[in-house]
Amino acid sequence: WMHQDKFRARIAFPEYLSIGFNVVYSAWHLLFVIGFDRDISDEVACSKPALYQVGPRRGLFNARLFTKWMLTAVIQGAMAWLIPFFFIGTTDYDKTEPVDFWVCSTVAFSAINIIVDLKLVLYAQNPLGKVTLLPTAGAFACYAFALFMIGYTAIGQSFQPCMWQIPGELIKRTDASVALFVT
């Protein structure tokens, strides 16, 4: 965004939407998924210590794997940002009015939330278990609630006027829906 905006130090995502990312949309459900997921029984774990050889060998965390994670994150983040702008095609910025830029921005932010939440599901030990799916559905519900509050309530309009009725545009506009799906 900074390159697109010629380094004018303007925000890319609505503040009152982005402040909830770490706590409300992505982190709390991670604690439930990781904390309550079941891998193997204690009996099997104690009787077969060879299962844990990969840890001391640094098979699950090393410089090569960390580099792969970082490159994947950069590629996914760039795609999540650029695809909506390719489909909707605007960088016209107005922080006081709900213009197309905020549709692009909300599509990109929604895509980032979906990517983060679904990657957790894919990497979970039991991706189709209720311990994985229920918290993930809860995270999506929290995000949908935040979008609704920012886009359709008086307090949302007073705090973030550029988001007024933008969440509905993600559904009504074909270019926004396609951009979200493709991303």
Side-chain angles (χ1 to χ4, degrees), residues 3 7 14 26 70 97-99 106 109 111 114 120 125 128-129 137 146 162 167 180 182:
H3 289 283
F7 297 94
S26 65
M70 292 299 108
E97 294 292 323
V99 295
T106 305
F109 193 76
I114 292 168
L120 175 63
Q125 293 291 331
L128 298 178
C162 61
L180 186 58
V182 169

Side-chain angles (χ1 to χ4, degrees), residues 71-85 108 112 115 183:
L71 288 173
T72 301
V74 168
I75 291 167
Q76 287 176 336
M79 288 176 55
W81 181 258
L82 293 173
I83 288 173
F85 282 89
I112 290 167
I115 289 167
T183 306

Side-chain angles (χ1 to χ4, degrees), residues 12-71:
F13 299 121
E15 299 100 329
Y16 289 98
L17 189 60
S18 66
I19 60 173
F21 179 75
N22 286 329
V23 177
V24 182
Y25 319 136
S26 65
W28 70 266
H29 87 284
L30 175 105
L31 297 174
F32 282 98
V33 172
I34 292 174
F36 295 108
D37 202 6
R38 298 191 60 90
D39 184 14
I40 57 175
S41 68
D42 291 342
E43 183 179 295
V44 172
C46 290
S47 67
K48 299 185 185 224
L51 291 171
Y52 297 97
Q53 292 296 326
V54 70
R57 291 185 195 146
R58 293 185 166 188
L60 300 176
F61 187 71
N62 54 49
R64 184 174 165 262
L65 187 59
F66 182 74
T67 302
K68 180 183 168 189
W69 290 344
M70 292 299 108
L71 288 173

Side-chain angles (χ1 to χ4, degrees), residues 144-168:
F145 180 73
L147 276 174
F148 174 79
M149 293 301 291
I150 291 171
Y152 296 103
T153 63
I155 194 164
Q157 189 175 20
S158 68
F159 284 160
Q160 202 82 60
C162 61
M163 284 295 291
W164 184 246
Q165 297 187 340
I166 293 290

